Amino acid sequence: MNLRVIFLTARRNRGIILGMDIHTRETLKINEKGHLEIGGADCVALAERFSTPLYVFDEVHIRAMMRVYRETIDREYGGYGCVLYASKAFSCMAMYGIARQEGLGVDVVSGGELYTARKAGFPAEKIYMHGNNKLPSELEEALDAGVGHIVVDSMLEADRLEEMCKARGKTQRVLLRINPGVEAHTHHFVQTATPDSKFGFSIANGDAARMTEHILSLPHLELRGFHCHIGSQIFEKESFSLAAEKCLAFLAELKKSGYTCEELNMGGGFGVWYAEDDRMIPPSGYAEYLSALIGTIKTGCAKYGLKEPFLLIEPGRSIVAEAGITLYTVGAIREIKGLRKYVAVDGGMFENPRYCLYGSRYTAILANKANEPATERVSLAGKCCESGDLLGVDMPLAHAETGDIIAVLTTGAYNYAMASNYNRNLIPPAVLVNEGEAEYIIRPQTYEDLTRNDILPDRLTK
Ligand SMILES: *Cc1c(COP(=O)(O)O)cnc(C)c1O
């Protein structure tokens, strides 16, 4: 039985008011023991074998998401495009390995991500390098590695890159990051007349056109086209279409002065299910986002008489967020009568800072009592010395006891990627599950790792 059915049934039968729907996922189930299962692996068994806190990723879900995007481009755009995994969502060697096997490209936003991708054997020509303030050293690293494209986001960078390429006697393919002036939000989108962003050159105020002209004047940069990324956790297809329309109108203007855009990168940002009222979209449903976008691009190109550009998209969150869960063990439970119940876990803001950063919402479930209906609302507390160190407040949960295993769902994106050693807590390991088999893709840290780069000057030992 899938989770959604379980919860709906529980709500009906026992008159539960604090029921919730869990996003149905082919590989997230409740097994005959009443345990939560991910990718065919029993979460309670995973917690016993690998200990908690533990990041768990379902490989089947990750691959399904990558394929949906790739196959949509194949089917509806003649395969004339490439899906780039926005690796900042979860960057580790295994993810670059999966992306490579699935025929994706990747985008990287730092020298560290580039290094990790290359170390995993990811082909340099399928790497796009982003960043609003790439360091000179990072640009050199990108050129050393031979990355396919660098996405230029400042005049300084364009000029630096030109100098570096000139010195090397090579030409570098670049895209220019533009800002179409579409501000996308989680539940609505608005058009902004005066874009205010640290990213991209505004189309509306003419900066994008001026910067295009400048790059075209630099002999060692080959301007292949443009990139935009309107935001993250967006559910409205209209936002993406509106951005595409603005980009195409811009390309139509450039065409008049003789420039033909070869590549158009529309970024990422597709929303995922985290909690209660978020939209639930199965992997196959994400094809609709891309279909809508492709439709807009085809229509726009026909309208303006433009050549259909090589299409790139850069989903990060939607590829990996729902594929991941985090397992914790319940420790202290504190009930403040008439106020709030805190259930403390062995993790916190050091391995999932998103509640602290953005007030993000999550769904939690007792993995060892997954059939029990959510009858309470509790706040999940972390173990850091910060009162703000929570994973969520007033989350529906079944009655929890010390020792229970809690699974927090949809933690695959921007969790490990943002983890820290705050309070000198160890960043948990990550395991990849595939049809019931689990293996480490990120080893557990040790206390020794914590002091590896520490230096105790001699004078401080006396
Ligand atoms: C963060 C980012 C993405 C990915 O966004 P998601 O919301 O994770 O899909 C893609 N492109 C760029 C340039 C980004 O900064």
Side-chain angles (χ1 to χ4, degrees):
M1 209 184 323
N2 70 44
L3 282 171
R4 191 203 294 228
V5 175
I6 294 270
F7 274 80
L8 290 176
T9 313
R11 183 153 48 183
R12 256 199 319 274
N13 291 352
R14 304 191 24 195
I16 301 304
I17 32 164
L18 296 172
M20 59 176 166
D21 294 346
I22 300 283
H23 188 182
T24 309
R25 278 169 261 186
E26 275 140 54
T27 52
L28 204 54
K29 295 192 173 78
I30 297 174
N31 65 20
E32 65 288 348
K33 289 186 191 154
H35 293 175
L36 182 70
E37 207 178 88
I38 178 169
D42 184 311
C43 290
V44 179
L46 288 174
E48 275 166 17
R49 179 173 159 205
F50 296 100
S51 186
T52 59
L54 180 71
Y55 297 110
V56 187
F57 289 84
D58 177 17
E59 186 174 339
V60 171
H61 191 96
I62 294 169
R63 288 184 186 270
M65 288 303 307
M66 290 179 172
R67 280 174 203 171
V68 160
Y69 291 128
R70 203 192 57 214
E71 286 166 6
T72 307
I73 290 184
D74 286 350
R75 192 175 58 242
E76 295 177 27
Y77 204 62
Y80 194 57
C82 187
V83 180
L84 308 177
Y85 167 55
S87 65
K88 73 175 193 272
F90 177 45
S91 174
C92 65
M93 285 168 58
M95 279 303 294
Y96 294 109
I98 296 174
R100 185 183 56 76
Q101 287 181 348
E102 291 296 335
L104 269 65
V106 295
D107 81 44
V108 299
V109 296
S110 70
E113 286 184 359
L114 173 61
Y115 172 83
T116 310
R118 293 294 292 143
K119 193 157 180 185
F122 202 88
E125 64 275 11
K126 290 177 88 170
I127 298 178
Y128 285 66
M129 178 96 174
H130 282 289
N132 68 305
N133 187 31
K134 301 175 196 72
L135 307 176
S137 58
E138 290 175 321
L139 290 173
E140 295 281 7
E141 285 156 23
L143 294 174
D144 285 345
V147 305
H149 293 69
I150 295 176
V151 183
V152 172
D153 198 1
S154 74
M155 179 78 89
L156 175 72
E157 182 189 347
D159 294 342
R160 266 183 188 158
L161 198 53
E162 168 64 20
E163 281 307 305
M164 289 174 184
C165 291
K166 190 176 170 192
R168 289 166 184 252
K170 75 169 269 188
T171 312
Q172 175 66 45
R173 289 186 160 193
V174 300
L175 300 182
L176 174 64
R177 180 155 185 170
I178 57 176
N179 181 348
V182 176
E183 230 177 61
H185 295 293
T186 304
H187 295 295
H188 66 288
F189 67 94
V190 290
Q191 251 175 285
T192 50
T194 51
D196 175 6
S197 166
K198 75 166 186 172
F199 295 111
F201 289 88
S202 162
I203 294 177
N205 71 10
D207 283 347
R210 281 187 286 276
M211 195 58 199
T212 301
E213 211 174 302
H214 180 65
I215 294 183
L216 289 172
S217 76
L218 302 175
H220 296 86
L221 303 190
E222 180 190 354
L223 182 65
R224 295 284 297 167
F226 300 94
H227 165 266
C228 74
H229 171 71
I230 55 172
S232 202
Q233 187 60 4
I234 302 162
F235 284 106
E236 293 75 20
K237 295 186 194 75
E238 298 79 5
S239 303
F240 299 104
S241 291
L242 187 57
E245 271 164 25
K246 298 215 170 201
C247 289
L248 292 169
F250 174 62
L251 299 188
E253 283 306 306
L254 291 181
K255 194 182 167 223
K256 290 182 193 158
S257 52
Y259 175 75
T260 304
C261 169
E262 298 292 338
E263 298 183 35
L264 183 61
N265 182 336
M266 290 304 299
F270 312 113
V272 303
W273 176 88
Y274 281 102
E276 299 173 79
D277 49 0
D278 282 334
R279 208 174 297 170
M280 297 176 176
I281 310 170
S284 60
Y286 284 87
E288 286 174 29
Y289 283 94
L290 206 37
S291 293
L293 188 60
I294 288 172
T296 307
I297 289 173
K298 283 185 167 172
T299 309
C301 286
K303 176 172 139 196
Y304 294 117
L306 296 169
K307 173 183 166 202
E308 286 179 7
F310 187 79
L311 176 63
L312 298 145
I313 56 156
E314 298 174 325
R317 186 191 307 275
S318 58
I319 284 181
V320 79
E322 293 192 37
I325 64 173
T326 308
L327 299 178
Y328 303 96
T329 303
V330 174
I333 297 171
R334 175 189 307 269
E335 189 153 14
I336 308 172
K337 281 273 173 293
L339 200 57
R340 202 183 293 283
K341 182 170 177 178
Y342 287 99
V343 172
V345 296
D346 49 357
M349 63 191 287
F350 60 96
E351 97 300 302
N352 183 359
R354 290 191 67 254
Y355 177 80
C356 298
L357 278 175
Y358 316 113
S360 310
R361 297 158 317 126
Y362 282 101
T363 298
I365 173 170
L366 295 183
N368 55 322
K369 302 170 181 169
N371 278 323
E372 289 192 14
T375 51
E376 302 180 354
R377 280 195 184 258
V378 306
S379 295
L380 278 191
K383 66 184 286 290
C384 295
C385 294
E386 299 270 345
S387 23
D389 171 29
L390 301 169
L391 297 171
V393 293
D394 300 334
M395 302 160 84
L397 193 70
H399 182 71
E401 292 163 301
T402 301
D404 281 344
I405 303 298
I406 286 191
V408 174
L409 310 183
T410 319
T411 57
Y414 306 110
N415 272 230
Y416 177 80
M418 289 185 168
S420 75
N421 285 121
Y422 185 50
N423 286 178
R424 292 240 148 170
N425 282 300
L426 300 177
I427 295 175
V431 297
L432 187 66
V433 164
N434 191 346
E435 296 181 9
E437 300 294 321
E439 64 193 322
Y440 277 132
I441 51 171
I442 296 168
R443 261 198 300 272
Q445 280 190 332
T446 62
Y447 286 148
E448 209 169 62
D449 291 331
L450 296 177
T451 52
R452 192 173 302 285
N453 295 336
D454 286 14
I455 294 171
L456 183 63
D458 220 21
R459 63 194 170 77
L460 301 183
T461 64
K462 303 214 161 68

